[in-house]
Amino acid sequence: MTEILDLLQAVLVRHGLVTAFAFVGLVVWISYLVSDRLTRGRVHGSAIAILIGLVLAGVGGVVTQGDRGLADIPVFAGVGLLGGAMIRDLAIVATAFGVDLGEIRKAGAGATVALVIGVLGSFAVGAIVAWLFGYRDPISMTTIGAGAATYIVGPVTGTAIGATSDVVALSIAAGLVKSMLVMTATPFVAHRIGLDDPRSAMVYGGLMGTTSGVAGGLAATDERLVPHGAMTATFYTGLGCLLGPSVVFVTIRALFG
Amino acid sequence: MVIYGVALLSGCLLAGAFLGDLLGELIGVEANVGGVGIAMLLLILLSDRLRARGRLNPTSQRGIVFWSSIYIPVVVAMAARQNVLSALEGGPAALAAGTLAVAVGFLLVPVISRIGRPRDADPPDPDPGADQ
């Protein structure tokens, strides 16, 4: 029996990246099941999947005492490659495909202002919180600030400016909290913040930016607003990846470096 | 060919990464300055131009669409390879940063919604021919 397990392990290790594809697929499948059955779709499957990813990273850390999460377990070494900066950046850049820059002009001044304030405001809030909690070097402040933008902008910025893995993990967690909160809280505050027409939905999408959060939150509020919010939110991550490791980092470095 | 799309995407990422490093070198920070964002802009501009000229057919586009549709699983893998244990003590910071960012966002929705409101309430129909 142990021989068969050894054989299986050898196959999984030899096909590291393929194992990672199969494993992550399984995690995503379970996450969408949980989203459907336990939260009735209120918390989107993607958010649950990322949460499970973070938990698994913790499990990996406990098991191996290493600092690369699940990727330190030989069988899951491929997860390290799949989730490494190279493939991650390829996939994130690909999400820009099909985005029409003309759309933002049609959306009007409000949407553009919302985007810029949304991105820079999140950075500012996140960086201040980071400072208050004792993360006072410019790299950590910028990375956690980026995480307060989205869980993509966080790690992309962190990698670009050389943040440590634990700070990157915090930025993912901050983005995840934001995304889940936007999904679940939006219907409760929608009335109070005047989120009831396409224009306010576009502003909301630009301010929040987390695409999954915005789509989920608007779907629970008023299905018809989803495309309007999603339209501006699409630009948010790109803008964050552009401004984070440049203007924002240089500014924070000048102020706190 | 699907590989044309993948190659275009890869070329954009490489160019963005190079420009980001160069920019970092120029302004004297040890960082890749905005490389991923630059790559996204490049991809938007190039793919738009190529499609308009009919040089990026649906088959080639599949090479980009695949990578874009797999980004959540890639982010899951990315989350799974972080040093979460040593981040645990910073958990409250992550919670506070995420929550405050949302609160500020919600508060700003009514403020910014007012911008441009006096013009007509309904945006005009997209001009014909601007989109396919």
Side-chain angles (χ1 to χ4, degrees):
Chain A
M1 188 62 202
T2 47
E3 262 171 52
I4 291 186
L5 283 180
D6 284 348
L7 213 63
L8 180 66
Q9 185 176 359
V11 170
L12 295 179
V13 169
R14 204 163 67 233
H15 299 87
L17 185 59
V18 177
T19 306
F21 278 128
F23 179 72
V24 172
L26 187 70
V27 169
V28 171
W29 180 69
I30 292 170
S31 307
Y32 277 80
L33 214 62
V34 169
S35 159
D36 225 31
R37 301 280 158 82
L38 298 186
T39 77
R40 291 207 202 126
R42 182 141 291 189
V43 179
H44 198 257
S46 60
I48 295 174
I50 297 164
L51 184 63
I52 294 181
L54 286 174
V55 171
L56 288 172
V59 172
V62 169
V63 171
T64 65
Q65 299 297 315
D67 55 11
R68 292 173 62 243
L70 205 59
D72 279 327
I73 301 174
V75 170
F76 297 115
V79 171
L81 180 56
L82 182 60
M86 180 170 63
I87 291 187
R88 180 199 64 201
D89 289 352
L90 191 71
I92 289 167
V93 171
T95 61
F97 179 66
V99 168
D100 184 357
L101 286 180
E103 288 279 318
I104 195 72
R105 225 171 307 143
K106 273 185 256 160
T112 314
V113 171
L115 261 174
V116 174
I117 292 188
V119 171
L120 295 181
S122 298
F123 267 106
V125 168
I128 291 169
V129 169
W131 191 86
L132 290 175
F133 278 85
Y135 295 88
R136 296 189 173 174
D137 60 294
I139 292 180
S140 301
M141 286 176 70
T142 309
T143 305
I144 294 171
T150 71
Y151 53 68
I152 308 282
V153 180
V156 166
T157 302
T159 310
I161 61 180
T164 53
S165 180
D166 55 327
V167 172
V168 170
L170 281 184
S171 78
I172 300 173
L176 193 59
V177 167
K178 180 180 187 182
S179 163
M180 288 176 132
L181 206 56
V182 170
M183 281 171 210
T184 49
T186 299
F188 299 103
V189 299
H191 181 67
R192 203 169 299 171
I193 61 175
L195 180 56
D196 54 9
D197 61 348
R199 190 182 294 274
S200 58
M202 275 192 262
V203 166
Y204 160 86
L207 281 171
M208 296 307 181
T210 151
T211 8
S212 53
V214 164
L218 286 178
T221 307
D222 182 351
E223 196 79 47
R224 287 166 302 175
L225 298 178
V226 175
H228 301 282
M231 199 279 288
T232 38
T234 314
F235 292 96
Y236 189 99
T237 289
L239 192 63
C241 292
L242 197 61
L243 296 181
S246 57
V247 182
V248 176
F249 177 53
V250 170
T251 308
I252 290 183
R253 211 179 58 142
L255 293 175
F256 297 88
Chain B
M1 297 254 264
V2 173
I3 186 66
Y4 296 159
V6 183
L8 175 67
L9 169 62
S10 307
C12 288
L13 177 54
L14 292 174
F18 175 71
L19 289 174
D21 274 354
L22 198 68
L23 216 56
E25 208 54 65
L26 284 177
I27 58 177
V29 289
E30 223 174 282
N32 184 282
V33 178
V36 169
I38 297 172
M40 290 171 111
L41 269 179
L42 281 175
L43 182 67
I44 292 173
L45 297 175
L46 283 176
S47 63
D48 194 50
R49 189 149 302 177
L50 288 171
R51 262 191 307 191
R53 289 193 197 154
R55 302 294 285 274
L56 194 69
N57 62 35
T59 311
S60 303
Q61 292 180 27
R62 281 195 347 233
I64 307 172
V65 170
F66 169 77
W67 285 103
S68 122
S69 49
I70 208 168
Y71 99 92
I72 285 292
V74 168
V75 170
V76 173
M78 173 187 76
R81 56 158 283 170
Q82 302 301 330
N83 192 355
V84 165
L85 285 190
S86 63
L88 272 187
E89 60 180 277
L95 203 64
T99 310
L100 270 178
V102 175
V104 169
F106 279 150
L107 288 175
L108 286 174
V109 170
V111 180
I112 298 180
S113 291
R114 253 175 253 142
I115 298 176
R117 179 85 75 183
R119 283 187 283 162
D120 57 351
D122 294 302
D125 283 334
D127 29 331
D131 224 12
Q132 79 268 61

